[in-house]
Amino acid sequence: MYRINFFHFTGVEGAQVEEIWSLDEELLSSLGPVHGLIFLFKWNPDVQRDGKVVTDGSGDHIYFAKQVINNACATQAIINILANVDHEDVKLGSSLTELKDFTMSFDPQMKGLSISNSQHIRSVHNTFARQQLFEFDQKSAQKDDDVFHFVGYLPINGRLYELDGLQEGPIDHGPIPPNSNWTSIGKPVIEQRISRYAADEIHFNLMAIITDQIVQAQRKIDLLKEAGLTDESDEVKELLDTVNAEKVKREKFKTENIRRRHNYLPFIVELLKTLASEGKLVDIVAEAKEKTEERQKAKKRKTAA
């Protein structure tokens, strides 16, 4: 839901984020132009990194903002990528364009502060925040806590860069050979990074910023119709099915996001009162406590192993 609606609320046109399950070239080709990759992983400061962090003037043409606030790395990764995309399909919209133009000459720290202080960006980011039933005291992440982080990969001026808001600058992963698909260069970089984790580590996620699927399909439909085909032709029907399926998916995301942000506290309170009045609450709490203790013991055993 965050994937498409974030673009809608920030005014970005012509792009969407699609979750992908592999870096297979055939799969990526089927998605159309891939403007950037967003990689989610369990953050571990001890894992070795590849590439060269660019902190001198050679990276001035790259829009790179450091992450200066917690829990915003997904938004940060998307903005860092979008601000560097140079493709006719992708239009940033007035808000992001003004932010980019205003902060382009700033250093990474100031760019990050400007993003965090942007009322529009903050409002959009908070739109997708989960409703909290209760307020809890914030604490810093401990060594054994699971902390996840988002980074972006994309081609800029013929080189592959990694944009990680926790670093001092863009990370240069080398040149992209002429007439090569940049994702074929990014694939081994991401795979190498994954290989440095334990074999049983599965907490990874990969998303691609691509041209809007409806825009792509509609463009192909127009070309087919110019060639004399009609809505009854198999080629056009297939593309129309793609458009309809994408529209259904977006409506589903919209509904899910409404439910995700809804305040269920009044309902939960009434449910607990009803269970208590029927004498069922104590047993349910005891069962839940037992299951929680079992999960904690299993986690400790896994850590010890």
Side-chain angles (χ1 to χ4, degrees):
M1 64 204 74
Y2 185 91
R3 306 195 293 263
I4 294 176
N5 291 337
F6 178 85
F7 289 164
H8 171 74
F9 287 112
T10 53
V12 176
E13 296 180 356
Q16 70 182 66
V17 181
E18 193 71 19
E19 189 169 13
I20 56 178
W21 306 105
S22 77
L23 284 166
D24 180 74
E25 283 299 314
E26 184 176 349
L27 170 63
L28 292 173
S29 297
S30 69
L31 296 175
V34 178
H35 308 299
L37 294 171
I38 302 172
F39 181 52
L40 167 67
F41 59 96
K42 186 186 292 186
W43 185 75
N44 184 344
D46 299 325
V47 172
Q48 182 183 351
R49 307 181 61 85
D50 293 318
K52 174 187 175 182
V53 178
V54 179
T55 55
D56 56 21
S58 63
D60 288 348
H61 62 290
I62 301 172
Y63 189 94
F64 173 75
K66 281 183 65 67
Q67 182 181 331
V68 298
I69 58 175
N70 294 327
N71 302 321
C73 52
T75 296
Q76 189 89 29
I78 291 174
I79 292 176
N80 269 339
I81 290 177
L82 287 174
N84 288 288
V85 171
D86 182 18
H87 195 281
E88 60 182 5
D89 288 341
V90 182
K91 299 176 178 60
L92 292 185
S94 59
S95 295
L96 285 185
T97 297
E98 290 172 6
L99 178 67
K100 177 183 176 181
D101 292 343
F102 178 70
T103 62
M104 188 64 198
S105 62
F106 294 0
D107 62 41
Q109 182 76 15
M110 285 300 297
K111 284 189 178 78
L113 288 170
S114 298
I115 290 174
S116 66
N117 288 318
S118 167
Q119 181 62 41
H120 181 67
I121 297 297
R122 187 164 58 247
S123 176
V124 172
H125 176 81
N126 291 338
T127 295
F128 299 97
R130 287 186 181 276
Q131 288 286 340
Q132 295 290 338
L133 299 181
F134 304 100
E135 292 295 329
F136 296 97
D137 291 335
Q138 296 293 322
K139 65 181 182 69
S140 299
Q142 302 300 310
K143 182 178 179 180
D144 294 332
D145 289 344
D146 290 340
V147 179
F148 295 91
H149 185 52
F150 291 84
V151 299
Y153 294 88
L154 76 162
I156 302 176
N157 290 356
R159 302 186 72 85
L160 175 67
Y161 285 94
E162 175 186 342
L163 304 183
D164 179 350
L166 297 181
Q167 300 300 312
E168 295 303 314
I171 300 174
D172 187 351
H173 286 286
I176 301 171
N179 303 318
S180 296
N181 192 331
W182 75 268
T183 55
S184 65
I185 309 302
K187 177 180 178 180
V189 172
I190 296 175
E191 290 176 338
Q192 179 70 14
R193 186 167 194 165
I194 292 175
S195 70
R196 294 196 173 109
Y197 285 80
D200 61 347
E201 176 57 61
I202 60 172
H203 294 92
F204 302 104
N205 186 262
L206 190 62
M207 295 169 284
I209 295 183
I210 61 175
T211 293
D212 188 316
Q213 295 285 279
I214 292 179
V215 171
Q216 291 193 68
Q218 191 58 58
R219 187 157 49 207
K220 293 176 182 177
I221 290 172
D222 293 341
L223 290 174
L224 290 173
K225 287 187 174 181
E226 288 178 6
L229 297 181
T230 68
D231 289 349
E232 301 305 315
S233 65
D234 292 338
E235 294 91 334
V236 175
K237 280 184 177 180
E238 183 177 351
L239 290 168
L240 288 173
D241 287 342
T242 298
V243 171
N244 292 331
E246 195 67 29
K247 289 179 178 178
V248 169
K249 182 173 66 176
R250 296 181 188 190
E251 282 300 314
K252 180 181 178 182
F253 286 163
K254 181 179 179 181
T255 301
E256 287 180 355
N257 195 55
I258 292 172
R259 291 174 176 167
R260 181 173 176 264
R261 298 184 62 251
H262 182 71
N263 182 8
Y264 287 96
L265 182 56
F267 166 75
I268 292 173
V269 170
E270 290 302 317
L271 177 61
L272 293 175
K273 288 165 63 177
T274 301
L275 290 172
S277 66
E278 295 179 358
K280 299 177 180 179
L281 185 57
V282 174
D283 291 339
I284 292 176
V285 171
E287 182 180 353
K289 183 179 179 180
E290 182 180 345
K291 289 182 178 179
T292 300
E293 290 175 348
E294 289 176 357
R295 284 196 295 269
Q296 290 175 341
K297 290 178 181 177
K299 184 176 181 180
K300 288 181 179 179
R301 288 195 297 268
K302 181 179 178 182
T303 303

mmCIF file of all heavy atoms in Angstrom, residues 34-39 41 49 77 81 151-155 160-163 171 173 182 186 189-190 193 206-207:
data_model
loop_
_atom_site.group_PDB
_atom_site.id
_atom_site.type_symbol
_atom_site.label_atom_id
_atom_site.label_comp_id
_atom_site.label_asym_id
_atom_site.label_seq_id
_atom_site.Cartn_x
_atom_site.Cartn_y
_atom_site.Cartn_z
ATOM 1 N N VAL A 34 13.458 -0.114 -15.185
ATOM 2 C CA VAL A 34 13.691 -0.145 -13.740
ATOM 3 C C VAL A 34 14.574 1.057 -13.398
ATOM 4 O O VAL A 34 15.718 1.133 -13.824
ATOM 5 C CB VAL A 34 14.381 -1.454 -13.299
ATOM 6 C CG1 VAL A 34 14.662 -1.421 -11.800
ATOM 7 C CG2 VAL A 34 13.515 -2.654 -13.653
ATOM 8 N N HIS A 35 14.028 1.992 -12.637
ATOM 9 C CA HIS A 35 14.731 3.237 -12.350
ATOM 10 C C HIS A 35 15.602 3.131 -11.097
ATOM 11 O O HIS A 35 16.535 3.921 -10.919
ATOM 12 C CB HIS A 35 13.731 4.379 -12.188
ATOM 13 C CG HIS A 35 12.771 4.489 -13.321
ATOM 14 N ND1 HIS A 35 13.179 4.726 -14.615
ATOM 15 C CD2 HIS A 35 11.406 4.369 -13.373
ATOM 16 C CE1 HIS A 35 12.119 4.761 -15.416
ATOM 17 N NE2 HIS A 35 11.038 4.540 -14.686
ATOM 18 N N GLY A 36 15.291 2.184 -10.232
ATOM 19 C CA GLY A 36 16.071 2.015 -9.018
ATOM 20 C C GLY A 36 15.612 0.792 -8.256
ATOM 21 O O GLY A 36 14.490 0.300 -8.468
ATOM 22 N N LEU A 37 16.471 0.277 -7.390
ATOM 23 C CA LEU A 37 16.137 -0.859 -6.539
ATOM 24 C C LEU A 37 16.233 -0.434 -5.087
ATOM 25 O O LEU A 37 17.162 0.290 -4.693
ATOM 26 C CB LEU A 37 17.088 -2.029 -6.791
ATOM 27 C CG LEU A 37 17.021 -2.690 -8.168
ATOM 28 C CD1 LEU A 37 18.165 -3.687 -8.340
ATOM 29 C CD2 LEU A 37 15.680 -3.381 -8.388
ATOM 30 N N ILE A 38 15.276 -0.888 -4.274
ATOM 31 C CA ILE A 38 15.280 -0.600 -2.840
ATOM 32 C C ILE A 38 15.466 -1.920 -2.113
ATOM 33 O O ILE A 38 14.678 -2.852 -2.287
ATOM 34 C CB ILE A 38 13.969 0.069 -2.401
ATOM 35 C CG1 ILE A 38 13.740 1.360 -3.180
ATOM 36 C CG2 ILE A 38 13.982 0.359 -0.898
ATOM 37 C CD1 ILE A 38 12.368 1.967 -2.946
ATOM 38 N N PHE A 39 16.509 -1.995 -1.316
ATOM 39 C CA PHE A 39 16.871 -3.234 -0.635
ATOM 40 C C PHE A 39 16.670 -3.063 0.868
ATOM 41 O O PHE A 39 17.203 -2.131 1.481
ATOM 42 C CB PHE A 39 18.337 -3.574 -0.948
ATOM 43 C CG PHE A 39 18.828 -4.843 -0.324
ATOM 44 C CD1 PHE A 39 18.134 -6.029 -0.477
ATOM 45 C CD2 PHE A 39 20.013 -4.865 0.401
ATOM 46 C CE1 PHE A 39 18.598 -7.216 0.084
ATOM 47 C CE2 PHE A 39 20.491 -6.033 0.968
ATOM 48 C CZ PHE A 39 19.775 -7.215 0.812
ATOM 49 N N PHE A 41 17.127 -4.882 4.586
ATOM 50 C CA PHE A 41 17.917 -5.926 5.219
ATOM 51 C C PHE A 41 18.025 -5.652 6.713
ATOM 52 O O PHE A 41 17.748 -4.541 7.188
ATOM 53 C CB PHE A 41 19.310 -5.986 4.604
ATOM 54 C CG PHE A 41 20.079 -4.697 4.717
ATOM 55 C CD1 PHE A 41 20.978 -4.478 5.749
ATOM 56 C CD2 PHE A 41 19.888 -3.686 3.784
ATOM 57 C CE1 PHE A 41 21.680 -3.292 5.855
ATOM 58 C CE2 PHE A 41 20.581 -2.481 3.882
ATOM 59 C CZ PHE A 41 21.480 -2.287 4.920
ATOM 60 N N ARG A 49 31.277 -4.132 3.898
ATOM 61 C CA ARG A 49 30.614 -3.448 2.798
ATOM 62 C C ARG A 49 31.544 -3.389 1.594
ATOM 63 O O ARG A 49 32.768 -3.340 1.725
ATOM 64 C CB ARG A 49 30.227 -2.026 3.204
ATOM 65 C CG ARG A 49 29.415 -1.942 4.483
ATOM 66 C CD ARG A 49 29.078 -0.505 4.776
ATOM 67 N NE ARG A 49 28.297 0.072 3.717
ATOM 68 C CZ ARG A 49 26.968 -0.032 3.620
ATOM 69 N NH1 ARG A 49 26.294 -0.691 4.542
ATOM 70 N NH2 ARG A 49 26.310 0.501 2.627
ATOM 71 N N ALA A 77 15.047 6.406 1.354
ATOM 72 C CA ALA A 77 15.553 5.655 0.206
ATOM 73 C C ALA A 77 14.786 6.022 -1.064
ATOM 74 O O ALA A 77 15.380 6.199 -2.138
ATOM 75 C CB ALA A 77 15.454 4.153 0.473
ATOM 76 N N ILE A 81 16.386 8.064 -4.382
ATOM 77 C CA ILE A 81 16.353 7.505 -5.730
ATOM 78 C C ILE A 81 15.614 8.429 -6.686
ATOM 79 O O ILE A 81 16.116 8.783 -7.760
ATOM 80 C CB ILE A 81 15.706 6.102 -5.726
ATOM 81 C CG1 ILE A 81 16.613 5.089 -5.035
ATOM 82 C CG2 ILE A 81 15.426 5.638 -7.160
ATOM 83 C CD1 ILE A 81 16.018 3.696 -4.927
ATOM 84 N N VAL A 151 18.098 0.722 1.704
ATOM 85 C CA VAL A 151 19.060 1.466 0.884
ATOM 86 C C VAL A 151 18.605 1.394 -0.564
ATOM 87 O O VAL A 151 17.799 0.523 -0.939
ATOM 88 C CB VAL A 151 20.496 0.911 1.011
ATOM 89 C CG1 VAL A 151 20.977 1.007 2.446
ATOM 90 C CG2 VAL A 151 20.577 -0.526 0.506
ATOM 91 N N GLY A 152 19.115 2.304 -1.379
ATOM 92 C CA GLY A 152 18.740 2.331 -2.784
ATOM 93 C C GLY A 152 19.925 2.081 -3.703
ATOM 94 O O GLY A 152 21.067 2.435 -3.379
ATOM 95 N N TYR A 153 19.663 1.450 -4.846
ATOM 96 C CA TYR A 153 20.670 1.241 -5.889
ATOM 97 C C TYR A 153 20.116 1.799 -7.192
ATOM 98 O O TYR A 153 18.932 1.579 -7.521
ATOM 99 C CB TYR A 153 20.972 -0.251 -6.088
ATOM 100 C CG TYR A 153 21.643 -0.919 -4.914
ATOM 101 C CD1 TYR A 153 20.902 -1.485 -3.884
ATOM 102 C CD2 TYR A 153 23.036 -0.997 -4.831
ATOM 103 C CE1 TYR A 153 21.511 -2.104 -2.802
ATOM 104 C CE2 TYR A 153 23.662 -1.619 -3.755
ATOM 105 C CZ TYR A 153 22.894 -2.172 -2.742
ATOM 106 O OH TYR A 153 23.507 -2.780 -1.677
ATOM 107 N N LEU A 154 20.951 2.508 -7.951
ATOM 108 C CA LEU A 154 20.503 3.036 -9.238
ATOM 109 C C LEU A 154 21.705 3.464 -10.075
ATOM 110 O O LEU A 154 22.808 3.669 -9.535
ATOM 111 C CB LEU A 154 19.557 4.217 -9.048
ATOM 112 C CG LEU A 154 20.150 5.579 -8.647
ATOM 113 C CD1 LEU A 154 19.149 6.685 -8.941
ATOM 114 C CD2 LEU A 154 20.548 5.611 -7.187
ATOM 115 N N PRO A 155 21.495 3.597 -11.396
ATOM 116 C CA PRO A 155 22.586 4.059 -12.260
ATOM 117 C C PRO A 155 22.579 5.585 -12.333
ATOM 118 O O PRO A 155 21.522 6.214 -12.444
ATOM 119 C CB PRO A 155 22.205 3.447 -13.618
ATOM 120 C CG PRO A 155 20.698 3.417 -13.594
ATOM 121 C CD PRO A 155 20.303 3.184 -12.158
ATOM 122 N N LEU A 160 27.190 2.572 -11.155
ATOM 123 C CA LEU A 160 26.214 2.058 -10.210
ATOM 124 C C LEU A 160 26.499 2.649 -8.830
ATOM 125 O O LEU A 160 27.618 2.547 -8.323
ATOM 126 C CB LEU A 160 26.287 0.526 -10.140
ATOM 127 C CG LEU A 160 25.390 -0.130 -9.079
ATOM 128 C CD1 LEU A 160 23.925 0.051 -9.443
ATOM 129 C CD2 LEU A 160 25.723 -1.611 -8.929
ATOM 130 N N TYR A 161 25.471 3.257 -8.237
ATOM 131 C CA TYR A 161 25.630 3.848 -6.914
ATOM 132 C C TYR A 161 24.646 3.227 -5.926
ATOM 133 O O TYR A 161 23.517 2.856 -6.290
ATOM 134 C CB TYR A 161 25.389 5.354 -6.964
ATOM 135 C CG TYR A 161 26.526 6.129 -7.570
ATOM 136 C CD1 TYR A 161 26.526 6.451 -8.929
ATOM 137 C CD2 TYR A 161 27.615 6.539 -6.807
ATOM 138 C CE1 TYR A 161 27.566 7.165 -9.502
ATOM 139 C CE2 TYR A 161 28.672 7.252 -7.368
ATOM 140 C CZ TYR A 161 28.635 7.558 -8.716
ATOM 141 O OH TYR A 161 29.676 8.263 -9.274
ATOM 142 N N GLU A 162 25.109 3.141 -4.707
ATOM 143 C CA GLU A 162 24.260 2.746 -3.577
ATOM 144 C C GLU A 162 24.043 3.997 -2.724
ATOM 145 O O GLU A 162 25.008 4.675 -2.352
ATOM 146 C CB GLU A 162 24.941 1.654 -2.758
ATOM 147 C CG GLU A 162 24.189 1.259 -1.491
ATOM 148 C CD GLU A 162 24.982 0.277 -0.651
ATOM 149 O OE1 GLU A 162 25.928 -0.354 -1.182
ATOM 150 O OE2 GLU A 162 24.670 0.141 0.550
ATOM 151 N N LEU A 163 22.784 4.292 -2.419
ATOM 152 C CA LEU A 163 22.458 5.461 -1.602
ATOM 153 C C LEU A 163 21.935 4.971 -0.259
ATOM 154 O O LEU A 163 20.818 4.483 -0.152
ATOM 155 C CB LEU A 163 21.421 6.338 -2.314
ATOM 156 C CG LEU A 163 21.819 6.816 -3.718
ATOM 157 C CD1 LEU A 163 20.744 7.726 -4.296
ATOM 158 C CD2 LEU A 163 23.174 7.525 -3.699
ATOM 159 N N ILE A 171 27.732 5.543 -2.379
ATOM 160 C CA ILE A 171 28.722 4.467 -2.490
ATOM 161 C C ILE A 171 28.836 4.071 -3.958
ATOM 162 O O ILE A 171 27.860 3.656 -4.581
ATOM 163 C CB ILE A 171 28.323 3.248 -1.641
ATOM 164 C CG1 ILE A 171 28.211 3.656 -0.170
ATOM 165 C CG2 ILE A 171 29.330 2.121 -1.815
ATOM 166 C CD1 ILE A 171 27.677 2.564 0.725
ATOM 167 N N HIS A 173 29.878 1.745 -6.865
ATOM 168 C CA HIS A 173 30.145 0.330 -7.107
ATOM 169 C C HIS A 173 30.750 0.084 -8.491
ATOM 170 O O HIS A 173 30.791 -1.059 -8.949
ATOM 171 C CB HIS A 173 28.863 -0.489 -6.944
ATOM 172 C CG HIS A 173 28.434 -0.655 -5.523
ATOM 173 N ND1 HIS A 173 29.073 -1.498 -4.644
ATOM 174 C CD2 HIS A 173 27.431 -0.070 -4.817
ATOM 175 C CE1 HIS A 173 28.481 -1.450 -3.459
ATOM 176 N NE2 HIS A 173 27.483 -0.584 -3.536
ATOM 177 N N TRP A 182 21.802 -2.071 -16.358
ATOM 178 C CA TRP A 182 22.448 -1.752 -15.074
ATOM 179 C C TRP A 182 22.074 -2.734 -13.978
ATOM 180 O O TRP A 182 22.866 -2.969 -13.064
ATOM 181 C CB TRP A 182 22.097 -0.323 -14.645
ATOM 182 C CG TRP A 182 20.704 -0.135 -14.101
ATOM 183 C CD1 TRP A 182 19.593 0.218 -14.781
ATOM 184 C CD2 TRP A 182 20.311 -0.270 -12.726
ATOM 185 N NE1 TRP A 182 18.508 0.303 -13.941
ATOM 186 C CE2 TRP A 182 18.926 0.019 -12.677
ATOM 187 C CE3 TRP A 182 20.972 -0.597 -11.556
ATOM 188 C CZ2 TRP A 182 18.195 -0.033 -11.485
ATOM 189 C CZ3 TRP A 182 20.253 -0.646 -10.370
ATOM 190 C CH2 TRP A 182 18.887 -0.364 -10.339
ATOM 191 N N GLY A 186 24.049 -4.561 -10.772
ATOM 192 C CA GLY A 186 23.586 -4.461 -9.386
ATOM 193 C C GLY A 186 23.302 -5.812 -8.755
ATOM 194 O O GLY A 186 23.441 -5.971 -7.535
ATOM 195 N N VAL A 189 26.164 -7.348 -6.737
ATOM 196 C CA VAL A 189 26.470 -6.501 -5.579
ATOM 197 C C VAL A 189 25.525 -6.832 -4.436
ATOM 198 O O VAL A 189 25.941 -7.009 -3.281
ATOM 199 C CB VAL A 189 26.358 -5.006 -5.964
ATOM 200 C CG1 VAL A 189 26.490 -4.128 -4.715
ATOM 201 C CG2 VAL A 189 27.426 -4.636 -6.983
ATOM 202 N N ILE A 190 24.232 -6.954 -4.748
ATOM 203 C CA ILE A 190 23.240 -7.269 -3.718
ATOM 204 C C ILE A 190 23.407 -8.707 -3.245
ATOM 205 O O ILE A 190 23.336 -8.994 -2.039
ATOM 206 C CB ILE A 190 21.821 -7.042 -4.264
ATOM 207 C CG1 ILE A 190 21.610 -5.553 -4.589
ATOM 208 C CG2 ILE A 190 20.766 -7.508 -3.261
ATOM 209 C CD1 ILE A 190 20.284 -5.243 -5.242
ATOM 210 N N ARG A 193 26.243 -9.029 -0.885
ATOM 211 C CA ARG A 193 25.890 -8.490 0.431
ATOM 212 C C ARG A 193 25.083 -9.504 1.231
ATOM 213 O O ARG A 193 25.314 -9.710 2.423
ATOM 214 C CB ARG A 193 25.088 -7.205 0.249
ATOM 215 C CG ARG A 193 24.794 -6.493 1.544
ATOM 216 C CD ARG A 193 24.297 -5.103 1.274
ATOM 217 N NE ARG A 193 24.324 -4.297 2.472
ATOM 218 C CZ ARG A 193 24.221 -2.980 2.471
ATOM 219 N NH1 ARG A 193 24.103 -2.337 1.323
ATOM 220 N NH2 ARG A 193 24.228 -2.307 3.589
ATOM 221 N N LEU A 206 13.224 -6.929 -1.504
ATOM 222 C CA LEU A 206 13.712 -6.150 -2.639
ATOM 223 C C LEU A 206 12.539 -5.574 -3.414
ATOM 224 O O LEU A 206 11.580 -6.282 -3.721
ATOM 225 C CB LEU A 206 14.571 -7.030 -3.556
ATOM 226 C CG LEU A 206 15.350 -6.330 -4.664
ATOM 227 C CD1 LEU A 206 16.365 -5.349 -4.071
ATOM 228 C CD2 LEU A 206 16.060 -7.354 -5.538
ATOM 229 N N MET A 207 12.624 -4.287 -3.707
ATOM 230 C CA MET A 207 11.580 -3.607 -4.462
ATOM 231 C C MET A 207 12.207 -2.810 -5.593
ATOM 232 O O MET A 207 13.348 -2.350 -5.484
ATOM 233 C CB MET A 207 10.774 -2.681 -3.546
ATOM 234 C CG MET A 207 9.982 -3.420 -2.477
ATOM 235 S SD MET A 207 9.306 -2.307 -1.216
ATOM 236 C CE MET A 207 10.799 -1.966 -0.262
#
